[in-house]
Amino acid sequence: MDDSLLTARERLLLDRIRLGESSYLELKVVQFTGMKLKGPDRKTLADELAAFANADGGVLVLGVDDKSRGIVGIPEDRVPEVVTLVRQVCTDSIEPPLQAAVEPLRLPSSEGGARAVVQVQVRRSLFVHRSPTGYLLRVGDEKRRMSTDYLARLFQQRSQSRLIRFDEQAVNEADIDSLSEDLWQRFRTVRTGDARDGLLTKLRMARRDQEGELRPTVAGVLMASQDPREWLPNAFIQAVAYRGADIRPAGRGRTYQLDAADITGPLDKQVDRACRFVARNMKVAAFKDMGRTDRPQYDMTAVFEALVNAVAHRDYSVHGSKIRLRMFEDRIELYSPGSIPNTITPERLVHLQFARNEVVTSLLAKCPVPPDIPWLDTDRRTLMDRRGEGVSIILENSERLSGREPRYRLIDNAELLLTIYAPPE
C-alpha cells in the first residue's frame, strides 16, 4: 500500500508509530489461540487506557509490534471482536467508565499491502479513573501507579475546588457542533454581535483545549445540549413517586411506584419537567366553604426553588450520582450530589450563599421562568436571581402550608438532602 494513498490523519499516525512509543502512543500486538483472543487481556487494556485518561490523553494502536514498530495487523474477520473487547473494557473494567474513540484502520505493512489495526483514542478526562491495578498515570512510554499525594492533588484538580471551576472545564469528548444552535442562541442579546465561537467563549460555554481546539465546557453541555448525559452520564433528575410512606413494595398485586421518569435535557428544561412531575403526582384537596378552592399538597413555588437550587449547585464532578427526587404520601425528598463548604452547615444555608457552578448559575439567570407550571406563584422572571432568597422561600412557604419546617441534612458528606413535608391528612 502506497503511503500517498493514506489520509493526512493516517500518515500522522504512521509517522508516530515509526518513531515508537511515547507519552502519547502505546502499541500492542493482538494474539489469537484458535478462536480465542489471547492478548492483550482486559486488565492490560484497562490499565493502559485509564493511564492515558488520567494524564493528557493518548492513542493505543492494536495490531502493531512495540519493538519492531511493524504493522503486524489483525485478521479482518476478527476486527469486530477486538473493537467489542475494547468497548467492553472501557465500560466494565474502568471506574468511572471511560469514553474512547475506537476505530478500525488499514495501514501499510513493511511486507507490502495493507493490514487492519484498531486505533483507540483517549482524551484527557474530566474524572480520575481507576483500573484493575489501581490509579495509574502515563509517564513517558510507560504507566505508573500514582502516589497518594499525587492522587489527592489530581482529585482536587479535577473537581470543583480547582482554580478553573469544574463547570468551566472543556469537555474533550465533545465538539462545538454538539451544542444545539437553538439552545445557545437564546443567550444572545440585542447588543451581542459576536459570531458563534466568540459568543460561546464569552458566555464560557466553550473554551480551547490543550491542542487549541474550541470545545464545549461542562456548562455549555449542561445548558445547550439536548441530552447532557452523552458526556455527563449522571446529569439528570431521577424522579419517582411512591404509593406509601417508604420505598417498600405495597403488596402483592399492587405497584409501589405510581410514576417514574428520568428527566433530562438542558438544566432549565429539567426544572420545568421536574416541577410538572411533582404537580402531576401530588394530592390536591378541594374546599367548598367559600366556593370551590383547590389546595395542592406542596407549595409549588418552594418546590420550584428547591429544584433550581439542586441543578444549579450540585457537584457535577461527582461521577455516579444524580439528583434524586422522591415523592411519598407524606413528604418529598430531594437529594443533590456534593457536600457543602466547611464554613456552611445545613442549618446556616438560609443565611449564607455559595455558588459551586458560577457559569451555570449565570446562564440560569438568563432563562425565563417556565410558563403554566400548575400552582407556581413567583414574581421572578428568570430561574436564578442574585437576592439569595431561595432557601427562605422553601422554608417559609412550605411551613406555612404544612405546619412543619423543611429539613436540610448532609448525608455521608456526599449528598445534601432536603425533605419537604406534606400537610397532615
Side-chain angles (χ1 to χ4, degrees):
M1 182 177 181
D2 190 343
D3 285 12
S4 64
L5 299 178
L6 300 174
T7 66
R9 189 162 61 92
E10 290 168 340
R11 281 198 298 272
L12 177 61
L13 176 61
L14 191 59
D15 287 342
R16 285 175 169 166
I17 289 173
R18 288 166 177 167
L19 291 173
E21 292 184 339
S22 65
S23 60
Y24 176 82
L25 183 67
E26 176 71 19
L27 307 174
K28 295 286 184 191
V29 172
V30 178
Q31 298 175 317
F32 295 90
T33 300
M35 296 302 295
K36 186 177 180 181
L37 196 158
K38 182 180 179 181
D41 58 26
R42 290 174 178 266
K43 174 181 176 295
T44 299
L45 286 174
D47 286 345
E48 298 290 358
L49 297 175
F52 275 135
N54 289 335
D56 292 324
V59 172
L60 167 66
V61 185
L62 299 170
V64 181
D65 188 285
D66 64 320
K67 295 181 175 62
S68 68
R69 305 168 192 174
I71 310 299
V72 179
I74 303 169
E76 296 209 1
D77 62 333
R78 308 298 295 271
V79 168
E81 181 182 348
V82 175
V83 170
T84 298
L85 172 66
V86 173
R87 289 176 174 158
Q88 288 176 345
V89 164
C90 289
T91 302
D92 302 334
S93 301
I94 301 174
E95 177 61 33
L98 183 65
Q99 291 186 327
V102 186
E103 182 181 10
L105 299 171
R106 288 190 181 90
L107 296 178
S109 72
S110 58
E111 300 174 0
R115 295 187 178 179
V117 300
V118 172
Q119 173 185 257
V120 186
Q121 185 170 15
V122 179
R123 296 189 181 277
R124 180 182 185 275
S125 180
L126 288 167
F127 306 100
V128 183
H129 297 269
R130 189 177 190 275
S131 57
T133 302
Y135 290 101
L136 303 176
L137 187 72
R138 184 78 177 189
V139 180
D141 60 355
E142 61 183 19
K143 55 188 180 294
R144 297 180 186 174
R145 191 187 297 271
M146 295 184 222
S147 68
T148 302
D149 289 345
Y150 188 93
L151 180 60
R153 289 197 301 272
L154 189 61
F155 268 115
Q156 186 179 42
Q157 289 168 2
R158 298 191 183 185
S159 73
Q160 79 282 358
S161 60
R162 53 187 155 189
L163 294 178
I164 299 177
R165 292 175 182 263
F166 187 78
D167 64 339
E168 296 182 59
Q169 294 300 301
V171 180
N172 291 323
E173 297 86 1
D175 57 49
I176 205 66
D177 291 326
S178 303
L179 303 184
S180 298
E181 183 174 0
D182 59 325
L183 293 177
W184 60 257
Q185 282 282 18
R186 60 194 175 134
F187 297 107
R188 184 185 293 279
T189 68
V190 293
R191 295 191 297 271
T192 305
D194 299 275
R196 179 194 67 177
D197 292 1
L199 174 64
L200 292 175
T201 301
K202 283 185 177 180
L203 291 169
R204 291 180 288 174
M205 297 174 73
R207 67 180 297 128
R208 300 205 176 271
D209 63 14
Q210 292 177 314
E211 287 77 39
E213 187 76 20
L214 189 66
R215 297 193 181 278
T217 61
V218 170
V221 165
L222 291 172
M223 297 300 300
S225 66
Q226 296 292 347
D227 191 350
R229 292 178 300 179
E230 185 172 350
W231 302 279
L232 299 166
N234 295 288
F236 70 101
I237 300 173
Q238 183 187 73
V240 183
Y242 295 96
R243 182 178 295 279
D246 55 44
I247 61 174
R248 290 177 297 179
R252 182 175 298 178
R254 297 185 68 204
T255 178
Y256 68 103
Q257 290 187 4
L258 298 173
D259 195 3
D262 287 345
I263 299 170
T264 187
L267 296 187
D268 55 312
K269 300 300 181 185
Q270 291 188 29
V271 172
D272 183 351
R273 294 162 186 165
C275 282
R276 296 181 194 280
F277 181 92
V278 172
R280 181 170 72 244
N281 286 287
M282 70 179 172
K283 299 175 183 176
V284 180
F287 295 86
K288 300 180 180 179
D289 50 347
M290 296 182 65
R292 179 183 172 92
T293 302
D294 291 336
R295 182 179 298 171
Q297 190 178 22
Y298 300 103
D299 183 276
M300 280 305 301
T301 304
V303 171
F304 166 77
E305 295 284 356
L307 288 165
V308 170
N309 282 349
V311 301
H313 301 306
R314 66 153 288 186
D315 189 346
Y316 289 97
S317 73
V318 178
H319 195 282
S321 296
K322 61 267 184 185
I323 294 172
R324 291 178 291 152
L325 171 64
R326 292 177 171 178
M327 295 186 66
F328 300 94
E329 64 180 13
D330 60 349
R331 71 194 184 280
I332 288 175
E333 294 180 350
L334 185 63
Y335 295 80
S336 182
S339 184
I340 52 181
N342 292 334
T343 56
I344 301 179
T345 63
E347 294 75 22
R348 298 181 68 198
L349 282 171
V350 68
H351 305 295
L352 300 174
Q353 298 183 53
F354 76 100
R356 174 179 279 119
N357 307 301
E358 288 191 348
V359 181
V360 167
T361 55
S362 69
L363 294 171
L364 288 172
K366 302 175 189 293
C367 295
V369 172
D372 305 323
I373 293 178
W375 298 291
L376 177 61
D377 182 18
T378 179
D379 60 356
R380 290 251 296 277
R381 300 182 65 182
T382 60
L383 293 190
M384 295 287 297
D385 66 10
R386 301 298 181 183
R387 295 177 293 180
E389 298 175 350
V391 175
S392 296
I393 292 172
I394 294 167
L395 300 180
E396 293 170 7
N397 287 21
S398 298
E399 186 176 18
R400 188 182 307 122
L401 180 63
S402 69
R404 189 174 178 184
E405 185 178 76
R407 182 186 179 192
Y408 281 99
R409 284 186 293 157
L410 196 57
I411 309 297
D412 296 330
N413 207 36
E415 286 184 305
L416 185 65
L417 167 60
L418 169 64
T419 304
I420 301 176
Y421 299 98
E425 288 291 337

